[in-house]
Amino acid sequence: MSSADSPAANTPLNVLQGTAATPQKYGYKPDGSKKRILLNAFDMNGIGHISAGQWRNPVDKSQTKNRLDYWIHLAKLLDRNGFNALFLADNFGSHDVYTGSHAPAIRAGSQWPLYDPFVIVCAMAAVTKSVAFGITACTTFEPPFILAKRFSTLDHVTNGRIAWNVVTSWSDNAARAMGMEKLPEHDLRYEIADEYLSLMYNRLWEGSWADDAVVKDTANGIFADPSKVRKIVHHGQFFKSESAHQVDPSPQRTPVIFQAGMSPAGAKFGAKHAECIFMGGMNPAIVAGKIAKTRELAKEQGRDPDGIKFFIQFTPIIAATDEEAQAKLEHHRQHAIPEGGLALFAGISGIDVSQFGLDEEFPTDLNDPRLERFAPGQRERLVARPRGYTSWTPRILGQYQTIGGSGNFYVGSGKTIADRIEEWITQADVDGFNIGHVAVPQAWEDVVEFLLPELKKRGWLGDGGYPVPGGTARENLNGKAGASRLDDSHPGSSFKFEVWDATKDYIGREEEKEDYVKAA
């Protein structure tokens, strides 16, 4: 049976109940054919990504993530079976909100230890041809020039199969790890990120080198024509950089841009910059409304609103039958560590639920005096509870969090899970799914064995292969051979070397503008 039909049903903690009376049907092209749905494997280079405690499950291989064999096996699996991308989450610092200590997270292995996601990509790219690699990197902590160089290098060595999941961070613990007192205020982080992206793709990736700058003239000893390599001078509110981009034009120039975050500031940022948006939520009707709003914001900025792809987190537990899938869930639960689930929940939400007794019922009223110390969003999160739960305590929350984290998960056969996926496609206007996991790499092996054949039979995966075999991430994302660069409606396109007018694009002090224009 599906988890939606049982007390194990997972509606995220911040879900808003209710569905549209007559859901709009999405998922079809103007000619009436079904659109090709995109599937990403959602992983993290470390222990306890979204299912705390599974490292002690005999079928789980997450303890081997610090060895290349794990990643090579996974990359080959995804590439053979037409997955759009391997989406690699990341985090900085340890989760230290629960009990005011990082001990619970470290003890349970809740996103601890974590390894760098960048260093494993080259090995995976060497054994694959088409699957893309989406890497999470933060605009709050790292200098833009260094990150631009790293992504361009990866875009070269992977033949253009790189995407960047842009995050601004949510953790003061991470900020302290980077030498800051705390994170900048929420909306300010997006202002910083906006300038960061402007410097990255507008000036370094797109505007610094002409397409034909590399000449490799052996007779005259000229590798690149200096007249076609522009020095970038950026004197902004948050960043200052003066240099040509160190890396020659890569296949995509700008990696495919992913973004997550549906706050007003996050939605505005995503509508401007993102090519793919990773969303949370369990109610298709509500998610459909958020997607429609973001598409409208994109249109207001002159972008093609249908050019943005929306992905929903979706963690399936699959087997040959519903009964076998339920048995698999029960097996996984035997290895879960609820304390680790609470550490993860508290770290992400900022709510230290140890302030409640382990078996104390959470409030059901936003005006409950016990909630006075929490911010409005935190109050809503504590008051909300998944469908099917008549009791909601820290102990139950911890158990709930150990299977797929706060995201939705479903339990059943390939047919049952395909039914749920179709609901999302036709009711929420999503373009793809970030497929989460409990045990790894079993989760995606099960998707290949039980789910993909059903989705192919229903016509949601095209012919099951890549639209552009061996193509770039952007070509396969949009199904268009030859379309490796940002589309014309994206703001980064106006900064391509051939069309960028430096005199009309200046960020900095007026007394420095003349030097800027001369250099540009």
Side-chain angles (χ1 to χ4, degrees):
M1 68 179 169
S2 162
S3 69
D5 301 320
S6 73
N10 11 261
T11 306
L13 301 177
N14 61 348
V15 72
L16 300 176
Q17 302 297 330
T19 57
T22 307
Q24 182 173 345
K25 197 167 187 179
Y26 300 101
Y28 293 85
K29 301 175 184 177
D31 64 4
S33 63
K34 291 179 176 178
K35 66 182 181 182
R36 181 179 181 272
I37 297 303
L38 303 161
L39 302 179
N40 299 332
F42 183 39
D43 205 351
M44 191 179 215
N45 192 3
I47 308 298
H49 176 202
I50 54 176
S51 298
Q54 293 302 314
W55 55 266
R56 56 185 190 157
N57 186 336
V59 303
D60 181 81
K61 305 301 181 185
S62 60
Q63 292 188 56
T64 66
K65 287 183 177 180
N66 57 2
R67 296 293 182 269
L68 287 177
D69 287 351
Y70 171 89
W71 296 106
I72 288 172
H73 168 79
L74 178 57
K76 288 181 175 180
L77 175 76
L78 303 178
D79 196 56
R80 283 196 306 268
N81 291 284
F83 275 73
N84 174 64
L86 170 60
F87 185 105
L88 291 164
D90 198 14
N91 185 31
F92 299 97
S94 56
H95 294 299
D96 64 354
V97 174
Y98 182 61
T99 73
S101 168
H102 66 194
I106 292 176
R107 183 163 47 240
S110 280
Q111 297 187 357
W112 192 272
L114 282 184
Y115 311 106
D116 193 303
F118 280 87
V119 298
I120 57 177
V121 170
C122 289
M124 292 190 288
V127 298
T128 57
K129 293 183 178 180
S130 300
V131 68
F133 305 97
I135 308 174
T136 299
C138 182
T139 57
T140 304
F141 302 136
E142 188 165 15
F145 186 84
I146 295 174
L147 191 61
K149 180 179 181 179
R150 187 178 304 127
F151 270 119
S152 291
T153 303
L154 280 177
D155 201 54
H156 270 299
V157 300
T158 63
N159 293 319
R161 291 184 286 142
I162 289 295
W164 173 21
N165 177 38
V166 181
V167 297
T168 64
S169 188
W170 41 264
S171 169
D172 284 335
N173 177 283
R176 291 191 293 271
M178 298 296 170
M180 304 166 64
E181 291 293 325
K182 62 180 181 178
L183 284 176
E185 183 271 330
H186 178 275
D187 286 7
L188 178 59
R189 294 201 299 275
Y190 279 105
E191 291 181 31
I192 294 170
D194 184 71
E195 184 181 324
Y196 197 110
L197 266 291
S198 179
L199 172 55
M200 291 284 270
Y201 64 60
N202 293 358
R203 294 165 175 79
L204 296 172
W205 286 328
E206 299 291 340
S208 188
W209 291 67
D211 287 341
D212 58 351
V214 177
V215 294
K216 298 181 183 179
D217 183 346
T218 56
N220 294 299
I222 302 174
F223 184 85
D225 182 346
S227 70
K228 295 183 178 182
V229 180
R230 177 186 288 130
K231 180 181 179 181
I232 300 302
V233 180
H234 177 94
H235 294 175
Q237 181 179 356
F238 305 107
F239 301 103
K240 186 173 182 177
S241 181
E242 298 185 13
S243 176
H245 187 35
Q246 281 192 304
V247 184
D248 55 295
S250 66
Q252 295 185 120
R253 295 275 196 139
T254 296
V256 170
I257 301 296
F258 267 85
Q259 183 262 351
M262 282 290 100
S263 67
K268 182 179 178 181
F269 178 87
K272 178 179 179 180
H273 295 286
E275 296 170 89
C276 303
I277 294 179
F278 179 24
M279 305 188 70
M282 185 62 182
N283 186 312
I286 292 172
V287 170
K290 293 180 179 179
I291 290 175
K293 177 61 178 176
T294 306
R295 292 197 195 279
E296 185 61 32
L297 289 172
K299 186 177 180 180
E300 290 173 3
Q301 300 196 53
R303 294 189 63 190
D304 175 7
D306 295 322
I308 302 176
K309 307 292 187 183
F310 289 86
F311 291 77
I312 193 78
Q313 183 177 336
F314 191 98
T315 302
I317 299 175
I318 321 175
T321 67
D322 289 351
E323 292 74 20
E324 290 177 43
Q326 191 66 35
K328 187 175 289 186
L329 170 62
E330 296 308 320
H331 170 81
H332 292 335
R333 282 178 169 157
Q334 293 174 16
H335 303 286
I337 301 178
E339 181 185 48
L342 290 175
L344 182 60
F345 171 81
I348 294 174
S349 68
I351 305 170
D352 181 6
V353 293
S354 71
Q355 298 176 42
F356 296 88
L358 198 57
D359 293 305
E360 179 183 353
E361 289 288 339
F362 286 120
T364 58
D365 183 352
L366 287 173
N367 296 316
D368 190 299
R370 291 176 294 169
L371 296 178
E372 289 180 354
R373 57 184 176 271
F374 298 111
Q378 293 174 323
R379 296 181 192 183
E380 293 175 5
R381 191 159 189 172
L382 281 175
V383 167
R385 62 183 64 188
R387 289 189 297 267
Y389 283 81
T390 57
S391 180
W392 195 236
T393 68
R395 186 188 303 276
I396 296 171
L397 168 62
Q399 295 168 345
Y400 176 90
Q401 284 284 133
T402 58
I403 304 295
S406 294
N408 59 81
F409 76 93
Y410 294 97
V411 182
S413 65
K415 182 180 184 302
T416 297
I417 302 302
D419 288 343
R420 297 295 177 260
I421 281 182
E422 281 193 324
E423 290 175 2
W424 277 102
I425 296 169
T426 59
Q427 296 178 28
D429 194 23
V430 298
D431 301 285
F433 298 84
N434 271 11
I435 304 292
H437 59 85
V438 182
V440 295
Q442 181 196 69
W444 304 295
E445 292 169 345
D446 288 346
V447 167
V448 169
E449 181 177 0
F450 302 114
L451 180 59
L452 293 192
E454 187 67 28
L455 291 177
K456 290 176 185 176
K457 183 171 68 175
R458 300 185 189 197
W460 292 114
L461 299 179
D463 62 6
Y466 289 94
V468 187
T472 64
R474 190 169 282 113
E475 286 176 306
N476 276 307
L477 177 72
N478 297 310
K480 298 177 182 178
S484 295
R485 301 288 297 277
L486 290 170
D487 73 62
D488 290 341
S489 75
H490 192 284
S493 289
S494 64
F495 291 89
K496 292 177 180 177
F497 188 94
E498 298 78 11
V499 299
W500 181 31
D501 184 350
T503 62
K504 296 180 180 179
D505 177 66
Y506 175 69
I507 298 177
R509 293 184 292 273
E510 189 63 30
E511 60 269 23
E512 297 174 331
K513 183 174 181 178
E514 183 177 350
D515 291 338
Y516 169 87
V517 172
K518 286 180 180 178

